[in-house]
Amino acid sequence: MRDEVRTFVIEQLEDMNYDVEGIDDETTLGPSGVDLESLALADLSVRVEDRYGLKFADDESEKLALMTVGEFTRMVADRVAGSTSDNR
């Protein structure tokens, strides 16, 4: 699941016209990494929410900017796994 989420995130960043060459799990989403600003972070969050049926809390946006790509994809994959096990 984590690889699927990572691939989706990279595809969305590329679709948002960000340079994805050289992005790895240690690249931060915010400054000094992908350099997503608040609107772009919100856009990425909405795309992930729509794709995986998740909901990010309003106060999480600042935390997302400090996360690496690996941390973000792990968090999304864990939430997806948690929500599927909750539905069983």
Side-chain angles (χ1 to χ4, degrees):
M1 173 55 70
R2 188 165 166 240
D3 289 338
E4 177 191 325
V5 172
R6 186 182 189 288
T7 299
F8 178 79
V9 168
I10 298 297
E11 287 171 353
Q12 297 314 300
L13 290 172
E14 191 169 30
D15 186 59
M16 294 162 62
N17 296 316
Y18 282 88
D19 181 11
V20 296
E21 188 174 325
I23 289 180
D24 61 22
D25 282 351
E26 300 305 313
T27 306
T28 59
L29 292 171
S32 77
V34 180
D35 202 21
L36 296 181
E37 296 185 8
S38 58
L39 248 119
L41 274 167
D43 186 9
L44 179 62
S45 297
V46 167
R47 291 173 184 228
V48 169
E49 288 175 343
D50 289 348
R51 170 67 178 86
Y52 294 102
L54 303 176
K55 191 74 181 148
F56 293 105
D58 292 338
D59 64 346
E60 286 184 294
S61 58
E62 288 182 30
K63 295 175 190 170
L64 297 180
L66 301 174
M67 288 183 158
T68 65
V69 171
E71 291 167 338
F72 181 70
T73 56
R74 192 172 321 121
M75 177 189 69
V76 171
D78 288 350
R79 287 187 183 187
V80 170
S83 69
T84 23
S85 66
D86 290 346
N87 294 331
R88 290 180 189 180

